[in-house]
Amino acid sequence: MERSTVHLLHKRGKSQREIASELGRSRSAVARALSEPVDRQSSGRRRKSSVDAFREQIAEWLKQGLSGVRMMELAREDPDHPYGGCGSVWRAAVRRERLSGLHEQAVADVPIRFEGLPGEYLQVDWGEIRHFPFTQQQPVTRYFLACRLKYSRWTWVMFTSEMRQETLFRGLVACFNALGFVPWVLVFDLYRGGSYAEKAATVSSRTSRTSA
């Protein structure tokens, strides 16, 4: 059973009993799925190592720029609990801590992405290409309506000659047909047709409730 489906149905206001009936599962299974994160990862078992006591110290030594050899020398000279393991285990531990630190730094440097459950958010944007090239006529400005699912990065694009409310609605209907379903929420950036976004979101909400 997909936990994301359970979470999405629950977010849409359905009770645990209704979700269990719709998915053909027990109510206890639905309750258990709701108590777990959507992207739960299995925790693998790892045997304790004599290096574990030095993990925080290794991270500090890495910040100081010490080499793995020097770290092991200091660990073996520790007066309270000297390291007595082999060098390969120590080097592997230092490598893990170094990669972990690099990963944390990379995550901190990347902007936080706005994500939702699968099929929940559809981002809608207008765009334009100036001097759009044609083979048998002069280049002109062409607009396009781009829709992207926030979770899967699925993208749909439709070129138009203008940005009107009717064009937006027709484009959204074509996008929904290509998707095969209506996303729960439409996400719009600020643009000249901001009022269109409010009306389109209303249309999407009504359509979603009708199709649910």
Side-chain angles (χ1 to χ4, degrees):
M1 178 176 59
E2 290 289 343
R3 283 185 295 274
S4 59
T5 303
V6 176
H7 280 260
L8 181 58
L9 293 176
H10 181 69
K11 194 171 184 178
R12 292 185 176 183
K14 293 195 174 184
S15 65
Q16 295 182 9
R17 189 182 302 277
E18 291 173 332
I19 298 174
S21 175
E22 184 171 336
L23 299 180
R25 298 283 182 167
S26 65
R27 186 176 177 181
S28 60
V30 172
R32 184 169 60 254
L34 288 174
S35 66
E36 300 170 346
V38 177
D39 296 327
R40 185 191 67 177
Q41 297 180 356
S42 59
S43 56
R45 294 183 177 180
R46 189 174 68 88
R47 291 167 50 182
K48 289 187 176 181
S49 170
S50 55
V51 187
D52 292 343
F54 294 92
R55 288 190 61 183
E56 294 184 2
Q57 184 62 64
I58 290 175
E60 184 62 29
W61 283 335
L62 285 171
K63 293 179 181 179
Q64 298 174 12
L66 299 184
S67 65
V69 175
R70 180 54 181 159
M71 292 182 204
M72 188 168 62
E73 291 176 351
L74 294 174
R76 293 193 186 281
E77 296 171 359
D78 189 282
D80 298 325
H81 44 80
Y83 175 68
C86 63
S88 60
V89 175
W90 180 268
R91 288 190 295 273
V94 172
R95 186 164 52 252
R96 283 196 303 269
E97 288 300 322
R98 181 178 287 110
L99 292 176
S100 177
L102 292 174
H103 174 73
E104 291 178 0
Q105 184 60 43
V107 171
D109 293 341
V110 174
I112 299 176
R113 298 186 308 181
F114 176 68
E115 295 289 2
L117 298 174
E120 183 178 13
Y121 293 108
L122 181 75
Q123 181 179 353
V124 182
D125 290 309
W126 282 111
E128 66 179 50
I129 300 178
R130 300 181 183 275
H131 307 295
F132 193 94
F134 288 93
T135 57
Q136 298 181 358
Q137 68 182 64
Q138 293 296 323
V140 295
T141 298
R142 277 292 182 265
Y143 306 98
F144 61 88
L145 181 66
C147 303
R148 187 182 69 166
L149 283 179
K150 301 293 286 186
Y151 189 92
S152 67
R153 302 299 190 272
W154 180 90
T155 304
W156 177 90
V157 177
M158 180 185 75
F159 280 93
T160 70
S161 58
E162 32 69 24
M163 294 189 297
R164 296 190 300 120
Q165 177 177 331
E166 181 179 354
T167 305
L168 172 65
F169 288 162
R170 290 183 181 276
L172 290 176
V173 171
C175 178
F176 297 159
N177 287 331
L179 268 174
F181 64 90
V182 179
W184 189 243
V185 178
L186 300 184
V187 182
F188 291 85
D189 287 337
L190 295 177
Y191 64 100
R192 286 179 297 176
S195 59
Y196 298 171
E198 298 176 1
K199 296 179 181 179
T202 303
V203 171
S204 174
S205 176
R206 292 175 180 173
T207 308
S208 299
R209 290 196 296 268
T210 303
S211 59

